[in-house]
Amino acid sequence: MTLVVDIADPLAGSRVSEPVVFTVPVDLAAPLYRATLADGTRLICQRLSDGSGNGHTAFVACLSFTGTARLTLGEPLADAEAAALPGIRVLPGREADCFARLDTGAFDLELCSGTAEGTGASKWGVRHFKGLADGFELLPSGNNAIGGFYGPFFTPENGLINPPEHTRVDIEIVERGPLLHHYRMRGAIPDGLLPELRGKRFAIDWRFTYGTPYFQRRYQVDDFQTVINGRSVTNKITVGDEFEGGVGQLVFDRFAAYGGTRYRTGDPYAGLLVDMVNETLAEAKTDNPKFAAFRDKLSRMDEAHWDLYWRLFSAWENALPEAEIFERLARVRAAAHVKADLNDRAWTLADRPVDVSAVPHETIFPGPASKTAEFHVASGRAMVWWTSVPSGAFQIVQRRQSGWVNWGSNGENECPELPVGVDIKTAYGPFAESWQAVADQLETAPSAVVRLSP
């Protein structure tokens, strides 16, 4: 009997190196198997340890097709044949904490474990990311990262800033073959000022597949409940993806949500925080080397990295006493709560992409969505996100002065809005004109039905 997989795409359009996962009702032990499509095209299937056993074997195949495809599973590959196959390549890393730098066939990316030294270059996550089709590097300096998560743990309210800067992660290899690399990050969240958020751990699964113009991830965090921005927050987080183009240059200069963007402009909290930084530098009686270092770096506010504003009020930094952090940030929060709910920042309903750098604070707060995109008008490059459950809000920053761009799943005053355990698919490529069709494909995977054929 022959194992046949019937694959069907419910959407119109073509799939490019789409990862198709299927399970056959038999135990198979070899890591790689031959397969043939109905037109005679040969390809390989990678056995997955996750999902295999007890009379079943899970596989992944990466297929480019339109409409339907039929795959017939063949014999296992010999080791010598497997070694000569094209597939994901491991490259020499550029950062000291590089765990894996990969050429996926679509991207050159570097996954880092972090150094916990409290600087932009300390972050875990994807610290370099380049599209191989256009050769454009989205994170050239290594001082920002794709994949950090922030609220509610890493906020001024909890006295902690930027978990990728203040934690290290252990990384487990779940799958590593020519078609799929699956890594699992595990880390402990440092204890902050809020007792209910102490003693928590997290895990992040990353999946990169060969030639696929998107990657996948999922965040798991120990159960928690707290109050942020005066609202109860239960098992919701802020995921933040950062990009950098350099001073005056934006990697992405527009934002759009599927079906239209509903948003408010400006970020009163950010302005109030900057004001408090100035006030603290002028008034604080603290006299220690850490505070002196911050005073020096922040003496030129317009040139300082945004993280420095936050880090001044981080309990981890010990630049200020905890009591002073509490008191100063309590004033910021109280004023921010009022400003966020005033009527001077009306909701805008837009059918066209938003020029974020043209609005106050170069920031918008869009409403709920599951499919969003940031893109660059002149080049057509775009990043597209799909979340399996909508995030309740977003914070989008496109700051031309520094070239820093951000996609974050939080509302105003750092209130996290993305439920824990949600699947995220993120695509990158020349998708400015077609991003909605790309988002639909991220949302709706092809079906795969396994059958026995004589």
Side-chain angles (χ1 to χ4, degrees):
M1 300 293 283
T2 302
L3 289 165
V4 176
V5 185
D6 292 314
I7 301 162
D9 188 353
L11 302 178
S14 297
R15 299 280 179 160
V16 177
S17 199
E18 181 73 23
V20 176
V21 176
F22 59 92
T23 301
V24 298
V26 61
D27 277 316
L28 298 173
L32 296 171
Y33 284 76
R34 294 185 180 87
T36 306
L37 296 180
D39 64 1
T41 300
R42 295 181 178 181
L43 65 157
I44 60 170
C45 299
Q46 177 182 326
R47 182 187 185 275
L48 304 179
S49 57
D50 187 14
S52 295
N54 299 318
H56 293 83
T57 307
F59 287 97
V60 63
C62 294
L63 282 74
S64 296
F65 70 99
T66 301
T68 61
R70 177 169 296 166
L71 179 154
T72 301
L73 193 65
E75 299 299 315
L77 269 71
D79 291 344
E81 293 177 289
L85 286 172
I88 296 174
R89 296 188 301 131
V90 178
L91 305 176
R94 288 164 286 186
E95 303 295 335
D97 61 325
C98 172
F99 182 83
R101 180 184 171 195
L102 305 178
D103 175 345
T104 72
F107 312 127
D108 176 349
L109 59 91
E110 189 158 339
L111 193 65
C112 294
S113 58
T115 64
E117 294 175 356
T119 68
S122 303
K123 298 177 181 182
W124 51 255
V126 175
R127 287 245 296 283
H128 292 284
F129 187 97
K130 179 169 66 176
L132 295 179
D134 62 10
F136 189 83
E137 169 67 72
L138 304 181
L139 293 163
S141 77
N143 288 331
N144 291 291
I146 295 170
F149 83 92
Y150 301 87
F153 301 95
F154 301 92
T155 64
E157 199 147 4
N158 194 33
L160 292 172
I161 314 298
N162 276 344
E165 296 184 5
H166 292 170
T167 62
R168 295 183 181 91
V169 293
D170 295 320
I171 304 179
E172 168 193 355
I173 299 171
V174 181
E175 313 280 357
R176 181 181 269 182
L179 300 184
L180 167 67
H181 281 221
H182 176 181
Y183 300 103
R184 182 169 295 141
M185 288 181 168
R186 297 184 188 274
I189 299 168
D191 290 342
L193 301 179
L194 300 176
E196 67 271 19
L197 296 182
R198 294 173 183 165
K200 305 298 183 181
R201 297 189 61 85
F202 66 92
I204 308 170
D205 282 84
W206 300 81
R207 291 176 175 84
F208 308 101
T209 47
Y210 180 55
T212 307
Y214 67 85
F215 61 93
Q216 305 177 63
R217 54 193 147 141
R218 178 188 293 177
Y219 296 74
Q220 299 289 352
V221 186
D222 290 343
D223 288 343
F224 62 86
Q225 186 172 67
T226 188
V227 175
I228 300 291
N229 192 30
R231 295 176 51 202
S232 175
V233 173
T234 303
N235 296 339
K236 290 195 291 187
I237 59 174
T238 295
V239 172
D241 290 350
E242 301 175 295
F243 313 97
E244 54 186 41
V247 175
Q249 302 296 321
L250 290 174
V251 170
F252 304 118
D253 55 17
R254 295 293 188 276
F255 171 84
Y258 199 97
T261 308
R262 280 68 176 142
Y263 67 97
R264 300 175 78 194
T265 65
D267 186 2
Y269 182 88
L272 290 165
L273 189 65
V274 171
D275 291 342
M276 181 54 73
V277 169
N278 282 318
E279 180 181 315
T280 304
L281 295 176
E283 297 178 356
K285 302 298 191 292
T286 299
D287 183 16
N288 63 55
K290 180 67 77 169
F291 183 75
F294 275 112
R295 186 193 297 276
D296 178 64
K297 292 177 180 177
L298 290 168
S299 63
R300 301 172 298 279
M301 291 280 285
D302 58 338
E303 300 174 13
H305 194 292
W306 180 253
D307 286 356
L308 286 174
Y309 304 167
W310 296 77
R311 285 172 53 203
L312 177 64
F313 300 111
S314 170
W316 187 90
E317 297 283 356
N318 292 315
L320 295 167
E322 286 191 3
E324 185 169 355
I325 294 173
F326 259 126
E327 189 276 328
R328 289 187 177 277
L329 290 182
R331 283 193 276 147
V332 171
R333 288 195 301 273
H337 292 174
V338 172
K339 281 185 170 289
D341 291 329
L342 291 176
N343 293 325
D344 58 344
R345 296 166 55 237
W347 282 95
T348 299
L349 310 182
D351 293 328
R352 299 177 60 83
V354 182
D355 181 356
V356 179
S357 67
V359 307
H361 299 120
E362 298 165 295
T363 301
I364 63 171
F365 289 94
S370 62
K371 293 182 280 191
T372 56
E374 293 194 66
F375 60 87
H376 187 259
V377 171
S379 69
R381 63 176 172 263
M383 191 72 86
V384 185
W385 291 265
W386 167 76
T387 59
S388 58
V389 173
S391 178
F394 296 88
Q395 180 176 12
I396 306 299
V397 183
Q398 295 175 355
R399 189 168 288 130
R400 192 174 295 278
Q401 185 176 23
S402 64
W404 187 74
V405 172
N406 181 71
W407 176 94
S409 63
N410 62 281
E412 296 199 43
N413 300 333
E414 300 302 316
C415 192
E417 290 288 358
L418 183 70
V420 167
V422 167
D423 290 315
I424 304 174
K425 293 181 180 179
T426 309
Y428 174 74
F431 304 140
E433 297 297 328
S434 62
W435 78 265
Q436 295 183 70
V438 171
D440 286 339
Q441 289 188 331
L442 297 180
E443 179 182 37
T444 304
S447 63
V449 178
V450 177
R451 60 183 172 86
L452 291 174
S453 177

